[in-house]
Amino acid sequence: MDINEDVFVIIAQNLLQHRASLSKLSLCCRRFRQMCLPLLFSECVVACDDPGLVPPSSIRPYIRHITYNWHMGTVANEFGAELPYLPRLHSVTFERPAYGIPWSVVESCISYPNIKTIRFDSSARFTRIAPYPRNVLSASSHLEELSYPSSIVLPQPSVAIGGLLIPKEDLRALETACLSTLVLSMHRTARSLSLPLETAPIEEMASVDWPALQRLTLEGSAPHHTVQHLSVHMPAMLRRVRGLRSLILRSALPRSTTGRLCILGHHSVPDTQFQDLRSLVLSYPEPSDAVFSSSMPNLLHLSLRDWPRHYDYRVLPHYHASYRSPILSATETLSIVERLHVAELRTLEIVYRADAADDDLLQHLVDAFPKLRHLEIHRYRQKRGSTVDYEHITSILSSLKTLVTVRLHLDFKDDPGAYAIDIDYEVADSWYPKLVKRGWELLEALGACPQLESVALLYTAKGPGVWVWFDRSQLAVAGRKPVRDHSLEQQDSPTRPSRWRREKKPCSPTCEYCETCARPLKRCRSWSGPLETVAG
């Protein structure tokens, strides 16, 4: 079969989310097989309960990323037996080790110059193995990306690891020492860092330059001492970064804290500029923060948000008992956006509680951001018994002629998921048709936006919040139906689903990787099994 190779690659890349389909395509003929191999085996999973397994020679040149999965087991001494055979390996990810990652594992990875990226998933931590050596500056100087994310965890004095309760202070001290060693050794080459707020070595990072750093993400729980530490050392650290393009700070604020997140202090004239910054994400920002007076002429994406989501905070007792959710008021949000000079802004997310400045805020968005294409608004009512004039809201937003997608969570009074978690399914089912009807009405009300493609409303009555999308191309279609986007990767993305499907019921209650359930297929493939004949 004669087909242009560039066209074939585009087709194959679109099948990456459907590995089974990509595999079937590769079996059509020998030429297709050869062209599919680099994609089929670019990402592999090593099941580390079977250590010492070396991949067959036929796929070694194609492996670019490895995920080590210990299935909650311990890290074996034979770790890394396959690394010498993978000349194109670029990144490694650690998943689910019950007792943490020993230093020998990290040392094995950073000893190979071709490995530029190390990622830990939320269950893989620097725990239980101490002490860590500190003479790794030269060995790890080639690393370009380190991801050590932190999820929202409940405040507690100890953590269960491998069946043992470990004092949290001990783990925090060990994690701080490990990250300080590894992060500082990357300061010349680091391009992307994702670190926990509590243990990120911000003070030490402020003592060296970061000439290549483009993306910095800090997230996790932020006790009072962390907030204070950040406000003191973050300005000096940011002055050391020359070409930062993305700055993300997502902080969960425990109830013991006061105030909000402030990264550049309360100065009227900031001494830090962000000439190359493209994306800025801040949770619970302080309205008087000098960052909003900084020069950001190239900013394209701005998110002034909550973390965790305020709609989860209101209904989940464990969040409510442990954390605060000091979302901005409309007046405070207006005071922030009025100080911004970001005429190139394309994407905006705001989370606020309505007050007398509500209309002024929405009108300012229309006037100040003439190139805005994607807008997400989480607007909470000031009083529980008040109604939402959504027609008035859309009448203001319809003046934004450049809008392409709009995501709205307007905290409707009749939404049964707004203040309760245990909702009768009959009540939830009766609310959904009302939400759908309202979604089509909002889409029609925004019809004055010539480039508008779709509108989404948040549905929270059943389980986690789901965006329900209403496509403009379906307005005149008989029996039109919206699309529920269940994919987790879309929860914080401003764009609509990549594949539009009419809503269908799941084929079974336990279906996890199914087209009709909108679940993504497993992206990685283990090399175990009959792969020795893969070249044929």
Side-chain angles (χ1 to χ4, degrees), residues 94-170:
F94 303 127
E95 287 184 354
R96 304 167 64 188
Y99 294 90
I101 302 296
W103 177 251
S104 59
V105 168
V106 179
E107 194 171 40
S108 294
C109 293
I110 62 180
S111 65
Y112 292 91
N114 53 300
I115 297 179
K116 304 295 185 182
T117 299
I118 295 179
R119 299 188 183 99
F120 295 72
D121 82 337
S122 58
S123 63
R125 321 305 296 170
F126 282 120
T127 52
R128 301 295 296 152
I129 307 294
Y132 278 68
R134 302 189 58 86
N135 57 343
V136 297
L137 293 181
S138 59
S140 60
S141 61
H142 59 271
L143 286 179
E144 296 179 359
E145 180 178 348
L146 173 65
S147 178
Y148 191 88
S150 175
S151 57
I152 301 175
V153 294
L154 301 182
Q156 51 190 351
S158 58
V159 179
I161 298 177
L164 301 175
L165 286 178
I166 310 300
K168 194 172 182 179
E169 286 299 323
D170 293 349

Side-chain angles (χ1 to χ4, degrees), residues 183-448:
V183 171
L184 291 181
S185 66
M186 299 170 57
H187 76 96
R188 292 186 180 89
T189 56
R191 299 172 64 86
S192 177
L193 294 173
S194 180
L195 305 171
L197 265 171
E198 273 196 274
T199 54
I202 300 298
E203 183 177 0
E204 293 81 359
M205 291 171 70
S207 64
V208 294
D209 289 328
W210 300 84
L213 188 61
Q214 296 183 5
R215 180 181 176 87
L216 176 63
T217 300
L218 302 173
E219 62 183 14
S221 179
H224 179 72
H225 65 85
T226 300
V227 174
Q228 294 296 106
H229 184 80
L230 194 70
S231 62
V232 171
H233 299 288
M234 195 68 177
M237 186 267 162
L238 291 176
R239 285 194 292 271
R240 293 280 197 163
V241 185
R242 300 170 187 171
L244 193 64
R245 289 175 171 263
S246 174
L247 177 60
I248 301 174
L249 280 84
R250 288 191 287 253
S251 59
L253 301 176
R255 285 200 166 274
S256 58
T257 61
T258 58
R260 296 191 178 102
L261 189 68
C262 185
I263 61 174
L264 289 188
H266 305 273
H267 308 293
S268 57
V269 180
D271 56 0
T272 303
Q273 304 301 320
F274 300 97
Q275 299 298 320
D276 297 315
L277 195 66
R278 302 294 193 272
S279 178
L280 177 63
V281 178
L282 299 175
S283 63
Y284 311 119
E286 172 57 49
S288 62
D289 195 331
V291 68
F292 301 116
S293 300
S294 302
S295 175
M296 295 181 282
N298 296 304
L299 192 70
L300 300 177
H301 171 70
L302 174 64
S303 175
L304 307 175
R305 57 164 297 170
D306 44 2
W307 204 67
R309 285 298 189 187
H310 191 68
Y311 54 80
D312 285 334
Y313 167 82
R314 293 195 305 187
V315 301
L316 297 178
H318 53 281
Y319 279 163
H320 188 77
S322 303
Y323 293 101
R324 298 186 301 120
S325 184
I327 61 174
L328 299 169
S329 66
T331 299
E332 291 172 323
T333 307
L334 179 61
S335 71
I336 290 176
V337 295
E338 283 181 333
R339 292 160 56 199
L340 292 170
H341 300 284
V342 287
E344 299 298 318
L345 197 68
R346 300 294 196 274
T347 304
L348 174 65
E349 176 190 6
I350 54 175
V351 180
Y352 67 94
R353 193 183 307 278
D355 61 18
D358 198 20
D359 286 359
D360 293 336
L361 170 60
L362 296 177
Q363 188 59 52
H364 185 80
L365 302 185
V366 174
D367 298 335
F369 308 128
K371 298 182 180 180
L372 197 64
R373 295 176 59 82
H374 307 287
L375 175 63
E376 180 173 341
I377 295 178
H378 295 255
R379 177 192 181 273
Y380 292 90
R381 291 167 291 153
Q382 191 173 27
K383 298 179 180 179
R384 185 167 180 174
S386 59
T387 59
V388 179
D389 190 353
Y390 58 90
E391 293 177 344
H392 177 67
I393 292 173
T394 53
S395 68
I396 299 176
L397 296 180
S398 62
S399 299
L400 266 170
K401 305 301 183 183
T402 56
L403 281 179
V404 176
T405 63
V406 180
R407 301 209 299 189
L408 297 174
H409 174 219
L410 299 180
D411 190 26
F412 294 115
K413 180 182 178 180
D414 46 352
D415 183 352
Y419 290 92
I421 185 172
D422 297 322
I423 305 169
D424 186 271
Y425 264 41
E426 291 184 1
V427 175
D429 289 338
S430 65
W431 161 243
Y432 184 69
K434 299 177 184 177
L435 182 76
V436 170
K437 181 176 181 294
R438 209 160 289 176
W440 294 118
E441 292 173 353
L442 288 170
L443 182 60
E444 291 179 356
L446 290 169

